């Protein structure tokens, strides 16, 4: 049997969050093997902090794919780019919950937002920019 070529991403989230489920659906439709893991808000925040994400870079859910954190509504194409380039980093984040990001409403009504690459020293650089629609 052939091994799956779909990147596996585990998404840690609040059990009542609808936008997290919408993001997971987008990941699955984009070729990821995405699974939801419900955790308490306190445990989720502790997980983020323990794994190198500071509070200003946080969003609602946290995915883990091939050793990287994926925080918030990061577009699938950016996750694939991260996995291809393999930078020495904590992972990617879209802080907050910008309207029109994947899982947060229609892209045609998107507000401008950036995806940040979080480095292991806590600094962050813009990885991708999405202009307002």
């Amino acid at each position: 049997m052939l091994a799956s070529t779909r990147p596996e991403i585990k998404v840690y989230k609040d059990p009542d969050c609808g936008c997290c489920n919408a993001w997971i659906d987008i990941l699955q439709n984009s070729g990821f093997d995405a699974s939801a893991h419900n955790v308490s808000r306190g445990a989720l925040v502790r997980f983020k902090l323990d794994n190198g994400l500071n509070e200003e870079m946080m969003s609602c859910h946290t995915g883990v794919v091939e050793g990287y954190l994926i925080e918030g509504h990061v577009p699938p194409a950016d996750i694939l780019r991260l996995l291809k380039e393999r930078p020495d980093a904590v992972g990617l984040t879209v802080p907050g919950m910008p309207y029109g990001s994947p899982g947060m409403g229609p892209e045609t009504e998107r507000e401008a937002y950036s995806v940040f690459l979080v480095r292991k020293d806590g600094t962050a650089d813009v990885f991708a920019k999405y202009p307002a629609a």
Side-chain angles (χ1 to χ4, degrees):
M1 180 161 72
L2 294 174
S4 174
T5 58
R6 295 168 52 96
E8 181 182 348
I9 184 167
K10 294 181 180 181
V11 182
Y12 299 93
K13 63 177 225 34
D14 180 286
D16 299 319
C17 185
C19 71
C20 298
N21 291 329
W23 186 68
I24 291 168
D25 289 344
I26 290 167
L27 290 176
Q28 290 171 337
N29 291 329
S30 298
F32 287 86
D33 180 8
S35 59
H37 301 270
N38 293 326
V39 296
S40 71
R41 174 101 175 114
L44 187 54
V45 170
R46 175 55 41 208
F47 177 78
K48 295 169 195 261
L49 292 169
D50 288 349
N51 284 282
L53 198 62
N54 66 45
E55 289 185 35
E56 66 187 32
M57 288 289 151
M58 289 183 188
S59 185
C60 55
H61 53 262
T62 304
V64 179
V65 60
E66 298 183 20
Y68 290 108
L69 292 187
I70 307 297
E71 180 69 9
H73 296 268
V74 176
D78 293 326
I79 301 170
L80 291 172
R81 179 180 153 209
L82 174 79
L83 295 177
K84 182 179 179 184
E85 294 179 3
R86 300 257 178 224
D88 186 25
V90 171
L92 298 177
T93 181
V94 172
M97 298 166 65
Y99 190 76
S101 60
M104 286 298 300
E107 190 174 352
T108 56
E109 299 175 23
R110 173 183 69 217
E111 63 185 23
Y113 69 94
S114 294
V115 177
F116 293 91
L117 177 70
V118 178
R119 302 216 178 264
K120 291 183 177 178
D121 66 1
T123 61
D125 300 311
V126 173
F127 189 78
K129 285 187 170 197
Y130 293 85

